[in-house]
Amino acid sequence: AVVSTQSTGAAVERELSCDISLLRDRIDRCNMRYSDARKRYEEAEREFIASKLELHQCAEQKEGLEEHLFTIITLNETRKSEKLEQLHQKLEQLELQENS
């Protein structure tokens, strides 16, 4: 009976040891997956922040260039209008001179 109890106790001990070993292996695998996922997350976060900053800088640059383009077009249209007005005045003067 004592031998049977010792055998049963040893078998339970082996089974418990095996279960503990399996659980530790699973925990180790989970830790590795967690670590890998954490690295990917941190890299993605860095990429997201860098992309967001670049997006903001590009938007500001685009806005500045658009404002500059608008200014150039406006100045060009003003110059054209002024030249057209000058030509119109010269034409009127020539007509007046020819009619005089």
Side-chain angles (χ1 to χ4, degrees):
V2 172
V3 174
S4 176
T5 304
Q6 287 176 342
S7 281
T8 305
V12 169
E13 192 66 35
R14 282 192 305 273
E15 194 175 304
L16 181 61
S17 179
C18 184
D19 287 347
I20 289 172
S21 179
L22 289 173
L23 284 172
R24 284 185 176 159
D25 288 344
R26 289 179 69 186
I27 289 169
D28 286 345
R29 285 194 303 272
C30 283
N31 278 335
M32 285 190 293
R33 285 181 30 228
Y34 176 85
S35 179
D36 289 344
R38 182 82 180 169
K39 286 176 190 174
R40 288 192 326 272
Y41 172 82
E42 289 171 355
E43 181 59 35
E45 187 175 39
R46 280 191 293 274
E47 177 62 25
F48 171 76
I49 291 169
S51 296
K52 189 173 181 179
L53 179 61
E54 185 177 359
L55 180 68
H56 179 69
Q57 290 169 342
C58 288
E60 283 184 346
Q61 184 179 21
K62 178 181 173 266
E63 184 179 318
L65 291 169
E66 287 171 341
E67 287 175 7
H68 186 62
L69 176 63
F70 178 77
T71 300
I72 289 172
I73 290 172
T74 302
L75 287 174
N76 191 40
E77 291 299 318
T78 301
R79 286 183 194 139
K80 282 183 187 178
S81 177
E82 289 171 355
K83 283 188 179 188
L84 188 60
E85 181 62 32
Q86 289 172 0
L87 289 173
H88 184 63
Q89 288 176 2
K90 284 182 183 179
L91 184 61
E92 284 180 354
Q93 287 175 357
L94 286 174
E95 287 177 356
L96 286 175
Q97 287 175 357
E98 287 177 2
N99 290 336
S100 309

